[in-house]
Amino acid sequence: MELLSPAGNAEKLYYAYAYGADAAYIGLKKFSLRVKADNFYDDEYKKVTDLKKRFPGRKLHCALNISFHNNDIEAFKNNIDYFRLYPIDAFIVQDLGIVPLLQKEFPDAALHVSTQASCINYEAVKMYKSLGFKRVVLGREVSLDEIRQIKDAVPDMELEAFCHGAMCIAYAGRCLMSAYLTGRSAQSGFCSHTCRWNYGVVARDAKKLAESGFLSLEEGKRPGEYFPVYEGEDFTAVLSSKDISMISHLADMKAAGIDSLKIEGRMKSVYYVALVTRAYRKALDALDGKISEEEAVPFIAELDNVAHRESTTGFYYGRGDADKTTSGASDSPYLLAAEIGTELTDDEQNVVFCAGTETAAEFDRQLNALCREARAARDRDLHQHPEKVPVAAQRKEGWHMYSFTPLNKTDVSQELDIITPDKAVQTVKPGTWQLIDPETGTLREWAFDGHPCVLYIGCGLEDGALVRTKDPGYVAGQFRGSDR
């Protein structure tokens, strides 16, 4: 089975490929159902083209899955020359009106039916096949038994199904709540996720009851069917679906005839894309006998360390599990601290170390140039604030230097968890790594977003390594917001 991962921007596309995706799906500005994802625009086609060359054989799918109005069709026509710059292998569409245009302008690209089309029966699959579609992304409401029936009826049609990520309370995501409350239509790519908003319970007694966890919604004509309501410190979760997770059922998905496993999440983080992709890659490799099940276990276990809600198997084994809602929180005990880039060459490292020597020497020259009174005052200040004295980085035998892009604060007193495509977690202790300012060549005590530095560490690292640290604000079982 193909493993298909989400990519909201070029950076996430790299991590999708690096962590094991056979294919990735992207959206282009204005024509994707995730317009709040970064998506792709301007000259990013150059980065995408380079990534396709760097990862030969990997596929690129482009989501054009909005419902097109007349002005959208015209806008698409006006952007065709730009779209041609991307190495797109397939387009994912729900609106049949765009199909003839795609077939004419992109004859080499495959057509995939979007899950938004709610294709869940073999007659519909036959119809799409007759129109020239190569693949159907099945609606989430279909069961594994139904998928097997579809595959038996149309064996030469590729079937794609979601294996992991967020689900929606509306049929195939076709929800009107967002349009009703905000004027932002989900079918035009502007879903505001109103089902997970911070609704307040205004009556005092009702609020107290909701906080107890015993309050549920019951529709008048469906007695006995309950949807839990949970009132947190600053939010109420209503009608919030569980996440789907099929990591333990891949053999059943394969037996049903599924050709491609799709991970939801173009709006999710680099950390999410990397760890979820890696977990399913290892699980698939174990299923295919490429690695043992024991080897896959630590990678699969890391799914619990990615932000997620309670999980379900969706509709695959029946609707009972899918009908159960959850409290809406999505959280992780870790923060993505930094992205580790390429290893510096010997010449590049020499530049850093030379800069450190020069910075320290210049500091001493400036001190020595001060008059006696000024020097005494400066020495007192430095005694009280020793961090002001630049410390030149020193070369260490067997250590490696990497570019380092901080995303959250990283402090040299912390343990770091190194995440790589083929090592589940590598914990490095304080003292076995350093942060260096590449311009001054001096040691840094900390770094965060906007403070470029290099990582100097006593072990070699794989390409695509990520750094995570414990989130000090995380408390297991405690809700920190419905939008995380």
Side-chain angles (χ1 to χ4, degrees), residues 19 164-165 243 263-265 268-280 298-311 329-336 419 424 466 468 474 480 484:
Y19 278 71
H164 197 91
D243 288 354
I263 298 169
E264 179 277 336
K268 299 291 180 66
S269 67
V270 161
Y271 181 67
Y272 173 95
V273 171
L275 265 71
V276 175
T277 297
R278 187 183 68 169
Y280 277 84
F299 297 96
I300 295 171
E302 283 297 318
L303 286 177
D304 289 336
N305 292 323
V306 181
H308 63 284
R309 284 176 286 274
E310 287 183 280
S311 64
S330 178
D331 215 344
S332 168
Y334 292 95
L335 293 171
L336 178 59
I419 305 295
L466 296 170
R468 75 181 183 196
Y474 176 80
R480 293 193 287 174
R484 293 181 67 85

Side-chain angles (χ1 to χ4, degrees), residues 213-225:
F214 292 110
L215 188 64
S216 298
L217 296 180
E218 182 184 42
E219 203 277 326
K221 295 183 178 181
R222 293 165 178 80
E225 293 187 22

Side-chain angles (χ1 to χ4, degrees), residues 113-115 117-125 128 136-143 145-147 149-150 171-172 174 315:
V113 182
S114 170
T115 190
S118 301
C119 185
I120 57 174
N121 66 75
Y122 54 76
E123 292 297 345
V125 173
Y128 284 116
V136 170
V137 186
L138 295 163
R140 286 177 173 86
E141 298 76 21
V142 70
S143 70
D145 286 342
E146 290 172 317
I147 293 173
Q149 294 167 11
I150 292 171
Y171 199 87
R174 293 181 292 183
F315 292 86

Side-chain angles (χ1 to χ4, degrees), residues 372-386:
R372 180 182 301 174
E373 292 79 5
R375 175 61 185 268
R378 182 64 169 151
D379 285 342
R380 287 193 297 271
D381 179 61
L382 294 177
H383 180 72
Q384 294 177 347
H385 302 282

Side-chain angles (χ1 to χ4, degrees), residues 199-210:
Y199 296 96
V201 178
V202 295
R204 183 175 60 186
D205 291 343
K207 181 178 177 65
K208 183 177 180 180
L209 178 60

Side-chain angles (χ1 to χ4, degrees), residues 88-194:
I88 295 170
D89 296 295
F91 288 102
I92 307 167
V93 299
Q94 66 151 321
D95 193 328
L96 292 180
I98 202 70
V99 170
L101 188 57
L102 291 174
Q103 290 173 325
K104 175 185 176 182
E105 300 293 345
F106 302 90
D108 296 328
L111 292 178
H112 295 178
V113 182
S114 170
T115 190
Q116 300 298 123
S118 301
C119 185
I120 57 174
N121 66 75
Y122 54 76
E123 292 297 345
V125 173
K126 289 177 182 178
M127 185 274 292
Y128 284 116
K129 183 177 183 298
S130 71
L131 294 176
F133 283 87
K134 181 181 180 181
R135 176 183 296 186
V136 170
V137 186
L138 295 163
R140 286 177 173 86
E141 298 76 21
V142 70
S143 70
L144 289 178
D145 286 342
E146 290 172 317
I147 293 173
R148 182 69 264 173
Q149 294 167 11
I150 292 171
K151 191 65 174 180
D152 289 342
V154 198
D156 51 350
M157 176 66 93
E158 294 180 2
L159 301 181
E160 179 179 308
F162 283 91
C163 64
H164 197 91
M167 294 180 66
C168 181
I169 62 165
Y171 199 87
R174 293 181 292 183
C175 180
L176 297 178
M177 287 181 67
S178 179
Y180 178 76
L181 292 176
T182 69
R184 293 167 50 187
S185 170
Q187 288 305 99
S188 295
F190 290 94
C191 181
S192 53
H193 301 283
T194 51

